[in-house]
Amino acid sequence: MMLHRLKLKVVYGDELNKDKKAKRLKMRVILIAGFAVFIPFLAITYMLWTETRVGKLLIIGLLSALSCVPVVLYAYAKGFGLPLKTLWKERPEELKWLGIKIGFFYGFVLYWMILGIVEFLFGYQSFRAALISFVASAAARDGFEIGYLRARDTGKNIKMAIFPDHRPLSEMFPVAPQKILLLVSTALLGGAVTGSVLGPMLPNPMHQALAIGLIVGGVSTLSYAWALDVPPSKKTLIRYFIWPGFTMGITYFLILAYLLRIVFEIKLPPASDFGLLMAISAGWLTLESLFIAYLQWGKTKAPAIASEEKVRQVPT
């Protein structure tokens, strides 16, 4: 559910970053989205201020995810630069998938990440309505960026189901299946062993999150560098380690830890618990990092391939 975010930031982020007017509009859309959902959810979150039961938390999460659907559609239209009504007539399938995947499911996943933050890092009885506002703001940010990119995409008639570029993770595997399998398996096994060793030594969830950020972030950064066609600069590697390596490593840990420990109440020994969480986080982010590198490799190779094809077609 987070892969589209990595694409937007790492692969396609330069175009939007250069457009200062669009960046200002995006910030305005994010703020509007955050405030729009804050007020209606304030009453609900106040009544459930100290709620810890899974059923109630699930209901709040579903409401949070549902609130992100109109938010992401509104943001997409703003990023695209056309009224939502017009876009709905032109590309209804794309907007339906956008609402379901980026609005509902992505919003639902972010909700558990936020609960992981307040449960493990900052204390549970904190700012419930503000948290839901954060989820909606994140959905608005991604919706705007997707709309912005889609408006400038030459393949406008594609029935988009995978955002922002209609390119699935499975596209990468035929390129180097054995190497990909070996690297992901190594990340899984290494994460399991490392987590099993560190689990009993790090009982504090905040320390666990920091350890996963450093270790999983480092592994994913090395995987990303290995998969690139051209060796990246130190600045690029540092930037990638900070985001998505370190940041997304912690994000995946918080989501998985909250679901494992709080929602499903699975009680494991410290070594098994942390080993499992680190293994999944490492394998997950390593696989995504390989795919991001593959997409960037494709961006640099595509023009060269196109030029070669033109040369071949020129009559001698």
Side-chain angles (χ1 to χ4, degrees):
M1 288 301 167
M2 300 286 187
L3 185 56
H4 77 276
R5 184 66 217 151
L6 272 72
K7 289 181 182 179
L8 287 169
K9 181 82 171 178
V10 181
V11 183
Y12 305 110
D14 289 343
E15 186 174 351
L16 179 58
N17 288 334
K18 294 174 182 176
D19 192 334
K20 294 182 179 180
K21 183 178 179 181
K23 287 177 68 176
R24 288 194 296 269
L25 178 58
K26 183 179 75 169
M27 289 304 302
R28 189 157 62 245
V29 168
I30 290 172
L31 290 173
I32 291 171
F35 282 112
V37 300
F38 182 85
I39 295 174
F41 275 93
L42 185 59
I44 298 173
T45 54
Y46 178 78
M47 288 187 293
L48 300 173
W49 184 257
T50 59
E51 185 60 62
T52 58
R53 288 172 292 180
V54 171
K56 295 289 186 180
L57 295 176
L58 184 62
I59 291 172
I60 301 174
L62 292 173
L63 291 173
S64 174
L66 285 172
S67 73
C68 290
V69 174
V71 164
V72 79
L73 294 176
Y74 161 79
Y76 176 92
K78 288 295 184 181
F80 200 99
L82 289 176
L84 180 58
K85 186 177 180 180
T86 303
L87 291 171
W88 190 268
K89 291 179 180 178
E90 292 180 355
R91 46 186 73 202
E93 288 296 321
E94 179 174 335
L95 291 180
K96 287 175 185 176
W97 281 116
L98 181 77
I100 293 170
K101 290 189 172 183
I102 309 302
F104 185 81
F105 286 112
Y106 179 58
F108 195 57
V109 170
L110 284 178
Y111 170 75
W112 298 112
M113 180 201 74
I114 294 300
L115 289 188
I117 290 175
V118 295
E119 174 73 19
F120 299 128
L121 304 185
F122 298 122
Y124 190 71
Q125 293 106 348
S126 303
F127 310 113
R128 279 284 184 80
L131 298 175
I132 295 172
S133 296
F134 176 85
V135 173
S137 297
R141 174 201 62 200
D142 291 3
F144 182 94
E145 292 180 7
I146 291 169
Y148 180 88
L149 291 171
R150 290 292 289 140
R152 289 150 184 80
D153 187 8
T154 55
K156 296 182 183 296
N157 295 322
I158 295 176
K159 292 183 178 180
M160 187 66 60
I162 297 172
F163 297 95
D165 54 10
H166 203 60
R167 300 183 72 176
L169 194 63
S170 58
E171 179 185 323
M172 169 182 66
F173 290 105
V175 176
Q178 293 179 341
K179 290 183 179 180
I180 293 170
L181 181 61
L182 177 62
L183 202 55
V184 174
S185 299
T186 302
L188 283 167
L189 182 60
V193 173
T194 307
S196 297
V197 173
L198 292 178
M201 301 167 57
L202 299 173
N204 188 320
M206 187 175 291
H207 297 159
Q208 292 180 346
L210 181 61
I212 283 212
L214 292 171
I215 295 169
V216 172
V219 170
S220 62
T221 302
L222 290 175
S223 302
Y224 172 74
W226 172 85
L228 287 173
D229 185 49
V230 179
S233 64
K234 290 182 179 179
K235 183 179 179 181
T236 299
L237 286 180
I238 292 172
R239 190 186 304 123
Y240 193 90
F241 171 76
I242 296 171
W243 199 105
F246 181 81
T247 308
M248 295 302 288
I250 292 177
T251 297
Y252 291 162
F253 164 72
L254 291 172
I255 294 170
L256 294 168
Y258 195 87
L259 292 174
L260 179 72
R261 299 171 182 175
I262 306 299
V263 176
F264 298 112
E265 297 183 336
I266 299 175
K267 306 300 180 183
L268 297 173
S272 301
D273 176 274
F274 197 50
L276 178 64
L277 293 173
M278 185 173 284
I280 297 175
S281 299
W284 188 355
L285 192 53
T286 295
L287 181 63
E288 291 182 333
S289 295
L290 293 174
F291 186 52
I292 293 302
Y294 164 76
L295 291 177
Q296 289 185 297
W297 174 83
K299 282 178 67 178
T300 58
K301 289 296 181 183
I305 293 171
S307 299
E308 289 177 9
E309 291 296 327
K310 288 181 180 180
V311 171
R312 289 173 188 170
Q313 292 174 6
V314 173
T316 56

